[in-house]
Amino acid sequence: MERIKAGIIGMGFIGVSHVEAIRRIGFAQLVAVADANPALAQAKASEYDIPKCYATVEELLADPEISVVHNCTPNNQHLEINEKIIRSGKHVFSEKPLGMTSVETRKMLDLLAANPRIVGGVNFNYRMNPLVQDMKNRVRKGDIGTVNLVHGSYLQDWLLYDTDYNWRVEPEVSGLSRCVADIGSHWMDIVQTVTGLKIVEVCSDLFIAHPVRKKPRGQVETFSINTNADFEPKKVSTEDYGAVLIKFDSGAHGVFHVSQISAGRKCHFNFEIDGTTSSFYWNQETADHMWQGSRDGYNSQIMRNPNLMTPESRPYSYLAAGHPEGWNDAMKNNVYAMYKFIADGRDMRKDKPDFAVFEDGHYITRLVEAILESNAERRWVTIS
Ligand SMILES: NC(=O)c1ccc[n+]([C@@H]2O[C@H](COP(=O)([O-])OP(=O)(O)OC[C@H]3O[C@@H](n4cnc5c(N)ncnc54)[C@H](O)[C@@H]3O)[C@@H](O)[C@H]2O)c1
């Protein structure tokens, strides 16, 4: 089989994870990278022995060898770069959130619809954890009855202090929502994936703990500790915390909260689905385990074991039980699913892939906007 050749634009925090994910796919080959910071691109190309390093997006897109391009740039670059990728005739794997607004994501959807040969994926990677896929298939088979409630949270602490800073704090780079768009988007994607239901109503309460942050004069890498002592004050208009009541199209109810200021919480991403007969709970920090709750019998702590997983979810698990799989493996599964879809010559118009597509990214952006509207107007908002 001829290998699918890939390029990555944006070699910051997440770009490196894309390198590792592509490298784990036997029928894929990473041939080039590009970054607005040429020194960074060069350093990463040399560290990872990537054959080509381009100075601009245009040069990378002009490379006829490349057929899939990963867009790992900050949110305000997604529209322009994704459009360029699609227009160049290459498949696009975009980081989330797909765009800054639903106007942007609508434009990308329309452009993809006009180019149906092109496969468009969005990196909602958490849904590709083996046990999340297993839970999805168990919920679909009726293992917990009908879904009544869905609840959970995604908590971090890397923006706890007013000296913590990153481009995500700036709405012109990140968008009008921070915490909800950045990590709440993953939460909404995973619960919609597992339940097969759509969130159609939201009622939110957002909170800005630091209305002014101290912006360092110099770049700060995502999740790094800022040791720069030279600051300028910067007004903050995006939320550090959000709580959202939700209703699903089936009539199920739920609630989630997200925070980037919860001391000690690093990537505390968890959710519980309560059905009419049983419940499931999963936390990505202990990704190889899930919990099944029972009212009349003992509760079960389930450890991932490919031999016991539903047949549909087995391909997402590579290692034998007791050999932990986690974040990097889910990331690899997501990239693999997109590349396999391409390799098999499947058609986005006919087949619904397991990885998130632009339609999913567009819907999540609409949910984020509804959450902002709900908070501003202090009322429930319905997504039409
Ligand atoms: N799926 C996930 O779990 C996950 C995790 C982290 C980040 N992300 C997403 O990935 C994206 C990048 O986040 P990050 O934390 O890696 O940011 P980052 O700041 O660490 O890296 C972004 C890189 O893009 C480069 N860049 C900026 N504009 C560019 C342009 N026009 N052309 C080429 N390169 C450009 C920057 O120089 C930088 O190296 C964001 O959209 C973020 O939401 C997703």
Side-chain angles (χ1 to χ4, degrees), residues 9-15 35-37 40 57 72-75 77-78 81 95-97 123 125-126 167-168 182 186 222 327:
I9 300 170
M11 284 301 289
F13 170 74
I14 201 70
D35 194 287
N37 175 347
L40 176 75
V57 170
C72 300
T73 60
N75 307 351
Q77 303 295 310
H78 290 182
I81 294 178
E95 263 306 339
K96 47 53 63 177
N123 193 30
N125 41 322
Y126 290 97
W167 57 260
R168 285 169 178 77
D182 193 32
H186 278 300
T222 307
W327 196 96

Side-chain angles (χ1 to χ4, degrees), residues 128-130 133 309 312-318 325 333 337 354:
M128 291 306 207
N129 274 276
Q133 287 293 318
M309 287 169 70
E312 305 84 354
S313 42
R314 243 173 253 153
Y316 295 88
S317 187
Y318 289 79
E325 288 184 341
N333 286 343
D354 278 351

Side-chain angles (χ1 to χ4, degrees), residues 15-16 31 36 50 65 70 85 95 137 161 164 186 192 208 226 301 303 305 317 319 323 333:
V16 169
V31 295
I50 299 159
E65 205 185 10
H70 294 231
I85 298 169
E95 263 306 339
N137 290 308
Y161 304 131
D164 293 327
H186 278 300
Q192 292 191 135
I208 301 171
N226 179 20
Q301 190 65 38
M303 186 191 206
N305 182 343
S317 187
L319 296 173
H323 302 71
N333 286 343

Side-chain angles (χ1 to χ4, degrees), residues 99-365:
M100 304 253 283
T101 65
S102 61
V103 172
E104 287 192 1
T105 52
R106 178 83 255 166
K107 277 188 192 166
M108 292 184 235
L109 258 189
D110 290 346
L111 188 61
L112 254 196
N115 294 273
R117 200 192 52 76
I118 291 173
V119 176
V122 184
N123 193 30
F124 281 118
N125 41 322
Y126 290 97
R127 61 157 77 181
M128 291 306 207
N129 274 276
L131 281 183
V132 173
Q133 287 293 318
D134 196 44
M135 192 197 291
K136 175 184 92 176
N137 290 308
R138 287 174 190 269
V139 169
R140 302 283 166 90
K141 279 199 301 143
D143 279 14
I144 61 167
T146 304
V147 174
N148 270 334
L149 310 175
V150 181
H151 47 102
S153 62
Y154 193 157
L155 310 176
Q156 303 178 328
D157 69 0
W158 71 291
L159 293 174
L160 176 61
Y161 304 131
D162 67 352
T163 47
D164 293 327
Y165 206 87
N166 181 263
W167 57 260
R168 285 169 178 77
V169 171
E170 299 177 358
E172 57 277 18
V173 187
S174 187
L176 295 178
S177 159
R178 176 175 15 112
C179 204
V180 171
D182 193 32
I183 52 181
S185 58
H186 278 300
W187 195 92
M188 292 188 281
D189 178 71
I190 213 166
V191 300
Q192 292 191 135
T193 300
V194 169
T195 61
L197 305 175
K198 272 193 151 175
I199 299 169
V200 289
E201 276 186 85
V202 296
C203 184
S204 70
D205 175 46
L206 309 182
F207 168 57
I208 301 171
H210 297 299
V212 176
R213 282 184 183 263
K214 294 174 179 152
K215 180 178 181 178
R217 297 179 210 274
Q219 247 324 321
V220 184
E221 202 182 301
T222 307
F223 293 129
S224 66
I225 292 172
N226 179 20
T227 50
N228 193 328
D230 188 13
F231 296 111
E232 59 176 303
K234 184 93 180 163
K235 277 195 178 154
V236 175
S237 61
T238 56
E239 74 282 359
D240 295 304
Y241 163 85
V244 189
L245 293 169
I246 51 179
K247 285 184 201 161
F248 291 86
D249 53 357
S250 66
H253 291 243
V255 58
F256 71 93
H257 57 285
V258 287
S259 159
Q260 291 173 323
I261 53 164
S262 295
R265 296 299 185 192
K266 306 301 174 191
C267 198
H268 191 74
F269 175 8
N270 64 94
F271 66 94
E272 181 170 322
I273 318 257
D274 297 343
T276 46
T277 58
S278 177
S279 308
F280 279 132
Y281 171 85
W282 179 83
N283 175 1
Q284 92 82 31
E285 287 182 334
T286 50
D288 246 12
H289 296 263
M290 69 177 175
W291 174 89
Q292 183 163 16
S294 162
R295 200 189 70 161
D296 303 323
Y298 288 119
N299 297 333
S300 323
Q301 190 65 38
I302 297 167
M303 186 191 206
R304 181 190 54 79
N305 182 343
N307 298 333
L308 302 175
M309 287 169 70
T310 46
E312 305 84 354
S313 42
R314 243 173 253 153
Y316 295 88
S317 187
Y318 289 79
L319 296 173
H323 302 71
E325 288 184 341
W327 196 96
N328 266 334
D329 304 286
M331 175 80 198
K332 190 278 305 281
N333 286 343
N334 209 22
V335 175
Y336 178 90
M338 161 108 173
Y339 279 61
K340 187 80 173 71
F341 194 88
I342 295 167
D344 290 348
R346 289 170 70 192
D347 185 333
M348 299 281 284
R349 288 165 300 182
K350 295 187 199 136
D351 307 319
K352 171 80 178 130
D354 278 351
F355 57 89
V357 294
F358 275 35
E359 247 168 15
D360 301 315
H362 174 60
Y363 194 73
I364 296 277
T365 300

Side-chain angles (χ1 to χ4, degrees), residues 202 204 365-375 381-383:
V202 296
S204 70
T365 300
R366 292 185 63 208
L367 286 171
V368 171
E369 287 178 343
I371 288 166
L372 287 175
E373 185 183 335
S374 165
N375 179 65
V381 172
T382 303
I383 293 88

